[in-house]
Amino acid sequence: MRRTIQIIVFLITSCFLQQAVAQNIAVNGKITDKTGTAIAGASVVLKGTTTATSSDADGNYRISIPEKGSVLVFSYVGTNRQEIVVGTNRTINVVLEDTENVLNDVVVVGYGTQRKASVTGSISTINSKEMLQSPVGDLSNTLAGRVAGVITKQPAGEPGSDAAQIYIRGNSTFGNSTMEPLFVVDGIVRGFRDFSQMDPNEIESVNILKDASSAAIFGVKGANGVVLVTTKRGKVGKLTASYTFNYGLSQVTRLPKNLGSYEYAVLFNEAKLNDNPNAAPEFSQERLDGFRSGSDRELYPNTDWMDLVLGGTAPRMQHNVSLSGGSEKTKYFTSLGYLNEDGLYKSLNYKRYNVRTNLDVQVTNTTRFSVDLSGRLENKTAPPSGGIFEHTLRNPPIFLGQYEDGRLASPGSYPNPLALVSPESGYNRTSGNYILTNFQLTQDIPGVKGLSVKGVMAFDRSFTYNKTWNTWVPLYVKNADGTYATTAPSKSSLSKNFGEAQGLEFQGQLNYENRFGKHGFSALALILQKENQNSGLFGSRNSYESSALELINFGPAENEVLSDNEDKTGLRSAAVRLNYDFDNKYFVQGSLRRDESENFAPNKRTGYFPAVSAGWLVTGEDFMKSVSAVDYLKIKGSYGKLGSDRIPSRFGYYNRYDLVPNNYPFGGTLSNGLVPGAIANPNVTWETSTKTDVGFETRMFKNLIGVDFTYFKEDRKDILANRSLSVPLSFGANLPTENIGRVTNKGIEVVLSHNNRISNDLSYYVSGNFTYAKNKILEAAEAINVPAGKRITGRPNGGYYGYKAIGIFKDAADFNNSPKTTAFLATSGPGDIKYEDLSGPNGTPDGVIDDFDVTYLGGGALPEIIYGISGGINYKGFEASFLFQGATRSQQYLTQNAAWAFYNGGRVTEEWLDRWTPDNADASLPRLSLNSNGNNYATSSFWLKDATYLRLKNVEVAYTFKTEFLAKLKLTGVRVYANGQNLFTLTDILNVDPENTSAIGWYYPQQKTFNFGLSVQF
């Protein structure tokens, strides 16, 4: 060890001596942006050496070089690099241009990069700074409202399980197929969670590829769009380090407004009498008075279960340390991140550790080698029960949750949610270890300018483990003498689940880029082979006699469940892409990808996916030079075919049999058996998507105003489904899956932006994006005799169907003179929901409400319109920003505990105070009932709610200190900030979040977060 330290010290000392000998010319100057504002921390490097420095807080730098004629390289994040030859002038002032305002800015695309001006596809970008403004653990929640074309829904807010559903330009498939986009990290396809659980501090940018031109290079994987992640890499210059810390508190965005015990009891009595006028009241006047006075909390409880379980705050904490630097020969970036999020109850916690190292080595003048190593550890602890939200939402307030001494009370036949979330109830522990690697070797071909070959190998490995131990928590009943009795104990249960997976990918690329006068060419040829395999093992036993040993083999074998699974996938691909431009004004791109998948029959495994696009830089023309108002205008369009192999069918071309365990008696013993599965279909294949894009980009009035507009259309066919809508149930076999569905999806994207710098110290920006995407099912193999109101063909994908509610029966006369539901004639009456008589068996209204009156009610839960409005101001070191995000033309259908009073003996929300009674005939809600199967709870538009919302998604206020004192401490900047997420929401929907996807409301609520942080640059 001592010898190793001596060698390291010797090498470091040698480097310093070498630099000291070489220092004989001093060069200094100031580095600013185009407005004259000093840039602190800009890198200044003597090209070809490790000699480097950086600018101080005032933008000043000083560097010593061996001789004149040397080349200095100036760079800074977000600006174009400059190389300047040192002459006789020893003072060199440099102005660095923002890359986003320069046409030569490089944009990352599939398997390569392109100049921004030459991009003819539809690509939107989110930078690292925007993602860091959102204090969230899951990166998918940073996308909402920030870019056009991305529609998100966050169903829940549980730490470690709070991912958003991402749709790029809406939904164009149905059945069990997915619209999840493809996730690509540094050129390698990775899973959704590999993206969502990245540390934002290690990301340079996220590009969203939305059209055929940009995504077709991914072929059978690209139909749903692509999320392309580029991680940070080292830059030439001396070592720089940063440390970021933030701490926040989260709480529920909104809780249902439940009625207290007195109102609950009054309404319960009323509902019971509505169902049976001769019934005795459930709650006596004495109990009603006790609930109203609250004189004895234990005898007359008033428990708000939602507030009790979910009403507190939960802390979250995040750390990150990053190192970056290097020379012309070797560049490196290393990041280490830690996230710790608690839940709203103490038995819930999520921890994540992220590590990444990106190393780039210039092996020779023509050979480059890159190694990307990343990994993460995830550990989550949660309660073992799955019924927490059911009972928290359902339990009425008349039952006590906890005695004064802390004992958990028994709420009769209802489970106590406090026991379900207690650490004493056991645990559900999940851990995951993930290793992701990426090795790239690039060789320039000598003698052919712009020609290179690249080899890529990526190997991923993961291990997951889950252990769930569920044990009894005593619940107490207080006796009249003050003593306590406990509920009957239940026996413990245990389950374990092991999983492992690995992926191996090889790529070979041939790249070419060159210009010949006014003609520019670039080309890519790609071959790719990828294999993934995974396996899992599950075992469980219950009715443990003892809780001393939480091991499988200590449970009774007769209650054992044991299962395992294995799967393997493969993909072989080849692709070419050609780009041509003339005079940097006219651009054409063409691509073709060929894919082979193991999932289909040999004669159906191969698919071809072509795309073409073109663009015209109008402002490059001479006739535009006199149009001073327009700084930049480009018109572009694309057309192509893509595919999606993420379909709900594995080897559908094979006949199969399904295992039936322990169902066939032989000799007094139950044995396993087999039953026929779905009929084989040798023609099954992937979905195909044809996409068309037309749009323009423009910047006007010295870049003060920006407008981006795109019209898009997608025609997706070969959607996998079966003919259950047209084949009768008497067919007698499981129908095969077939490529029979077809959906069209079209819409527009608009981005408006305004940026203005008032002075060197003051600037501001405002931006808005708008997306409208509307789909329609063109083919779903429906029978020709399906009533018009129930047909899904010609209507939006995922639409709602039911009765059309037209009010409430006001009185007996209204009830007697109106059509009524035939199924509930004996139990319905005044105060019930009235439905529209649309048609009978002959297609015309027939005076009754039955199955023929079911009709289309609305387009579904996915918003057709989504938008974002952002802005910010910068004054010296102060910055403030905001982001509003909203959606409309979407609905939620609410049922059971999310909507109905007393469902399953459950609670009542305050809107039911305005229910129908003989004295309140114009009420907004029907009469109360304890019967959940009656007329009022038939599927209808009455319970279909408008889920339009506007949400203050993010706010950040920050100040960056840059002083001479910090420079003396070797600090280039200290930034303090406060930000918040989901701070308030405007919506008309009651009791649930507008992004909720649970019709019955059983979900961990979305969170609002208040966060404070510190970032230090060394």
Side-chain angles (χ1 to χ4, degrees):
M1 184 67 181
R2 178 179 298 178
R3 182 172 179 82
T4 302
I5 295 174
Q6 289 174 342
I7 293 173
I8 293 173
V9 172
F10 173 75
L11 291 174
I12 294 174
T13 305
S14 299
C15 292
F16 281 116
L17 289 174
Q18 182 180 2
Q19 289 185 358
V21 172
Q23 290 173 357
N24 50 20
I25 296 178
V27 177
N28 60 69
K30 186 171 185 177
I31 304 174
T32 62
D33 62 18
K34 65 177 184 179
T35 66
T37 302
I39 298 178
S43 174
V44 185
V45 180
L46 178 61
K47 189 172 182 178
T49 73
T50 58
T51 303
T53 188
S54 60
S55 56
D56 61 20
D58 297 319
N60 298 316
Y61 74 93
R62 181 181 179 87
I63 188 170
S64 296
I65 60 176
E67 58 185 355
K68 65 180 182 180
S70 299
V71 178
L72 291 179
V73 181
F74 299 84
S75 62
Y76 186 70
V77 176
T79 66
N80 270 6
R81 190 172 88 161
Q82 285 195 38
E83 295 187 4
I84 297 178
V85 178
V86 179
T88 57
N89 191 355
R90 298 293 183 266
T91 299
I92 301 176
N93 297 322
V94 178
V95 178
L96 295 178
E97 290 276 357
D98 293 341
T99 55
E100 62 182 8
N101 295 324
V102 180
L103 295 183
N104 290 326
D105 184 18
V106 173
V107 176
V108 178
V109 297
Y111 303 109
T113 59
Q114 287 181 236
R115 291 185 303 115
K116 186 175 182 179
S118 67
V119 172
T120 51
S122 186
I123 303 175
S124 296
T125 301
I126 306 171
N127 60 41
S128 177
K129 182 179 180 180
E130 291 175 303
M131 289 185 291
L132 287 169
Q133 289 173 342
S134 300
V136 295
D138 195 296
L139 272 185
S140 62
N141 293 312
T142 66
L143 305 183
R146 295 198 182 276
V147 292
V150 177
I151 300 172
T152 65
K153 285 181 72 72
Q154 185 188 355
E158 181 177 339
S161 303
D162 55 346
Q165 299 170 352
I166 301 173
Y167 300 82
I168 296 180
R169 292 181 168 175
N171 186 7
S172 53
T173 189
F174 59 82
N176 293 320
S177 296
T178 179
M179 279 301 299
E180 182 180 278
L182 187 71
F183 296 91
V184 181
V185 180
D186 292 330
I188 304 298
V189 173
R190 295 267 159 68
F192 169 75
R193 197 163 181 88
D194 293 327
F195 159 75
S196 67
Q197 297 304 312
M198 294 180 73
D199 187 330
N201 291 280
E202 67 188 46
I203 294 178
E204 185 72 34
S205 65
V206 174
N207 287 352
I208 313 296
L209 314 185
K210 296 175 283 189
D211 72 319
S213 172
S214 60
I217 196 68
F218 295 100
V220 75
K221 302 289 187 182
N224 298 340
V226 181
V227 177
L228 198 64
V229 182
T230 303
T231 60
K232 294 179 179 178
R233 311 202 73 84
K235 296 180 173 59
V236 176
K238 66 179 182 180
L239 171 66
T240 61
S242 66
Y243 167 70
T244 300
F245 165 76
N246 60 72
Y247 179 86
L249 293 173
S250 298
Q251 64 185 83
V252 175
T253 54
R254 62 193 328 220
L255 289 170
K257 297 180 179 179
N258 298 326
L259 294 180
S261 293
Y262 173 73
E263 292 88 351
Y264 173 89
V266 170
L267 268 60
F268 193 99
N269 281 347
E270 181 183 316
K272 189 175 182 180
L273 292 174
N274 284 343
D275 292 339
N276 180 8
N278 298 318
E282 184 75 17
F283 297 93
S284 66
Q285 188 61 48
E286 179 184 353
R287 292 189 69 188
L288 292 176
D289 292 340
F291 287 135
R292 180 162 50 185
S293 66
S295 56
D296 188 328
R297 192 187 70 85
E298 293 187 355
L299 188 60
Y300 304 108
N302 185 22
T303 305
D304 187 340
W305 293 98
M306 294 292 289
D307 184 69
L308 197 62
V309 176
L310 301 169
T313 59
R316 68 181 308 275
M317 179 172 58
Q318 195 165 12
H319 298 266
N320 178 269
V321 176
S322 298
L323 304 174
S324 180
S327 65
E328 293 287 344
K329 295 292 185 182
T330 304
K331 292 173 285 187
Y332 55 88
F333 170 81
T334 298
S335 173
L336 178 63
Y338 169 70
L339 171 69
N340 187 344
E341 290 187 303
D342 283 336
L344 293 169
Y345 32 84
K346 60 183 178 181
S347 55
L348 178 61
N349 174 263
Y350 175 71
K351 291 184 178 69
R352 187 184 72 216
Y353 305 83
N354 294 84
V355 62
R356 170 173 292 276
T357 295
N358 291 346
L359 180 66
D360 300 299
V361 180
Q362 188 77 38
V363 181
T364 70
N365 289 335
T366 60
T367 307
R368 297 175 296 281
F369 182 61
S370 298
V371 179
D372 297 356
L373 303 175
S374 66
R376 72 178 188 276
L377 305 178
E378 297 183 50
N379 292 295
K380 182 176 179 178
T381 300
S385 173
I388 295 169
F389 302 105
E390 172 188 359
H391 304 300
T392 301
L393 187 68
R394 185 188 70 152
N395 282 13
I398 59 171
F399 295 108
L400 184 67
Q402 195 169 20
Y403 290 102
E404 294 289 347
D405 62 1
R407 301 173 196 250
L408 298 183
S410 172
S413 61
Y414 297 80
N416 189 330
L418 292 177
L420 299 180
V421 302
S422 169
E424 296 179 30
S425 67
Y427 52 81
N428 180 352
R429 294 174 183 164
T430 303
S431 63
N433 302 327
Y434 305 85
I435 300 173
L436 311 175
T437 69
N438 185 353
F439 303 89
Q440 301 188 14
L441 181 64
T442 304
Q443 177 64 55
D444 296 335
I445 304 301
V448 184
K449 182 181 178 182
L451 182 64
S452 65
V453 294
K454 178 191 285 188
V456 179
M457 186 190 80
F459 178 76
D460 301 342
R461 196 83 165 93
S462 65
F463 301 90
T464 58
Y465 169 63
N466 173 264
K467 181 180 180 181
T468 302
W469 174 254
N470 199 330
T471 190
W472 175 67
V473 176
L475 300 180
Y476 294 88
V477 177
K478 195 172 186 179
N479 300 317
D481 60 0
T483 61
Y484 292 92
T486 63
T487 56
S490 60
K491 295 184 177 181
S492 303
S493 62
L494 175 67
S495 68
K496 290 186 177 183
N497 198 340
F498 297 85
E500 60 176 329
Q502 70 178 38
L504 181 62
E505 180 172 336
F506 293 98
Q507 295 177 22
Q509 298 181 26
L510 183 65
N511 290 277
Y512 178 74
E513 184 173 6
N514 206 349
R515 295 199 68 85
F516 303 92
K518 292 185 177 183
H519 304 275
F521 296 91
S522 66
L524 164 71
L526 167 74
I527 57 173
L528 177 151
Q529 180 161 312
K530 185 177 182 66
E531 292 183 359
N532 290 312
Q533 54 185 323
N534 59 73
S535 63
L537 182 65
F538 173 83
S540 70
R541 289 183 178 181
N542 55 41
S543 300
Y544 279 66
E545 296 293 341
S546 170
S547 299
L549 291 172
E550 300 163 9
L551 299 172
I552 289 286
N553 59 313
F554 277 83
E558 62 268 20
N559 297 312
E560 179 180 84
V561 175
L562 182 64
S563 65
D564 69 343
N565 65 84
E566 291 185 4
D567 194 17
K568 189 174 183 178
T569 63
L571 183 70
R572 182 181 294 122
S573 307
V576 293
R577 180 173 60 209
L578 301 174
N579 291 74
Y580 168 76
D581 77 81
F582 176 74
D583 201 18
N584 286 313
K585 292 186 293 186
Y586 312 103
F587 308 94
V588 179
Q589 176 180 293
S591 65
L592 175 66
R593 174 152 166 165
R594 178 184 187 272
D595 283 309
E596 293 181 73
S597 170
E598 97 299 338
N599 196 33
F600 310 111
N603 63 335
K604 292 291 182 179
R605 287 179 177 170
T606 303
Y608 294 88
F609 304 96
V612 63
S613 62
W616 176 26
L617 186 60
V618 182
T619 43
E621 303 289 355
D622 291 338
F623 65 81
M624 288 296 295
K625 293 180 179 179
S626 60
V627 186
S628 59
V630 180
D631 307 303
Y632 176 78
L633 173 62
K634 181 170 69 175
I635 300 172
K636 58 184 181 178
S638 67
Y639 176 85
K641 186 171 77 170
L642 303 94
S644 176
D645 65 351
R646 283 173 287 177
I647 57 178
S649 175
R650 287 292 285 153
F651 307 114
Y653 63 95
Y654 279 129
N655 284 310
R656 64 186 64 205
Y657 292 87
D658 298 328
L659 178 68
V660 180
N662 301 323
N663 203 48
Y664 296 94
F666 290 98
T669 303
L670 291 176
S671 302
N672 296 338
L674 297 174
V675 296
I679 299 172
N681 176 12
N683 297 313
V684 67
T685 186
W686 37 55
E687 299 177 357
T688 56
S689 168
T690 302
K691 296 190 177 187
T692 304
D693 260 47
V694 179
F696 67 86
E697 305 172 20
T698 185
R699 305 291 180 267
M700 299 175 288
F701 308 112
K702 301 186 183 301
N703 288 320
L704 284 176
I705 303 294
V707 180
D708 293 358
F709 174 87
T710 303
Y711 166 81
F712 60 86
K713 181 179 180 181
E714 177 184 8
D715 184 3
R716 185 173 296 208
K717 60 182 182 179
D718 300 328
I719 297 172
L720 210 65
N722 61 47
R723 297 185 183 272
S724 60
L725 297 176
S726 57
V727 176
L729 295 176
S730 58
F731 178 70
N734 293 329
L735 296 171
T737 51
E738 302 178 70
N739 298 101
I740 54 178
R742 186 177 179 184
V743 173
T744 183
N745 181 53
K746 58 185 178 181
I748 61 171
E749 295 176 5
V750 181
V751 179
L752 303 175
S753 60
H754 170 57
N755 295 270
N756 191 18
R757 179 170 291 278
I758 298 174
S759 68
N760 289 343
D761 294 329
L762 179 62
S763 64
Y764 68 90
Y765 68 92
V766 180
S767 179
N769 64 79
F770 172 90
T771 302
Y772 170 68
K774 184 176 180 63
N775 65 70
K776 181 169 66 173
I777 297 174
L778 300 181
E779 181 56 59
E782 286 187 289
I784 59 174
N785 60 346
V786 174
K790 299 175 73 173
R791 291 187 67 82
I792 65 172
T793 304
R795 292 196 168 108
N797 181 15
Y800 293 110
Y801 295 80
Y803 295 129
K804 185 176 181 181
I806 54 175
I808 295 173
F809 295 117
K810 294 181 179 297
D811 48 35
D814 188 12
F815 178 77
N816 294 330
N817 295 323
S818 302
K820 294 170 281 294
T821 51
T822 56
F824 307 110
L825 283 175
T827 57
S828 58
D832 287 337
I833 298 173
K834 183 194 302 187
Y835 304 114
E836 186 173 1
D837 181 16
L838 295 174
S839 66
N842 60 359
T844 59
D846 58 356
V848 297
I849 306 299
D850 55 20
D851 196 50
F852 290 98
D853 297 298
V854 172
T855 188
Y856 169 73
L857 301 177
L862 187 68
E864 289 185 354
I865 294 176
I866 196 162
Y867 57 92
I869 304 169
S870 60
I873 186 171
N874 295 271
Y875 178 70
K876 295 185 176 180
F878 171 82
E879 26 179 337
S881 65
F882 67 86
L883 171 65
F884 284 96
Q885 182 255 327
T888 188
R889 294 178 67 91
S890 67
Q891 304 89 35
Q892 283 190 35
Y893 188 80
L894 302 182
T895 183
Q896 298 183 19
N897 292 128
W900 306 340
F902 305 116
Y903 176 75
N904 198 16
R907 56 93 168 110
V908 185
T909 48
E910 69 175 20
E911 65 268 19
W912 281 94
L913 293 174
D914 185 27
R915 77 280 181 197
W916 182 93
T917 65
D919 298 327
N920 187 26
D922 294 321
S924 60
L925 289 170
R927 67 188 176 107
L928 291 166
S929 173
L930 303 180
N931 176 16
S932 61
N933 299 313
N935 173 86
N936 293 345
Y937 302 138
T939 302
S940 75
S941 61
F942 194 91
W943 306 109
L944 188 63
K945 305 301 180 182
D946 183 0
T948 296
Y949 70 90
L950 173 64
R951 174 168 277 161
L952 181 55
K953 195 69 176 177
N954 184 260
V955 170
E956 181 175 79
V957 178
Y959 186 80
T960 301
F961 298 88
K962 292 183 178 180
T963 65
E964 293 182 3
F965 175 73
L966 293 177
K968 292 179 181 178
L969 298 177
K970 305 299 182 182
L971 301 179
T972 57
V974 175
R975 184 174 186 264
V976 293
Y977 58 91
N979 52 34
Q981 187 83 354
N982 296 337
L983 295 183
F984 72 80
T985 304
L986 301 177
T987 182
D988 290 334
I989 197 167
L990 299 176
N991 300 318
V992 297
D993 192 273
E995 294 185 71
N996 162 57
T997 59
S998 171
I1000 57 180
W1002 298 353
Y1003 68 103
Y1004 191 106
Q1006 286 86 343
Q1007 302 291 288
K1008 70 171 66 172
T1009 302
F1010 303 91
N1011 190 65
F1012 304 89
L1014 168 72
S1015 179
V1016 182
Q1017 304 292 326
F1018 298 91

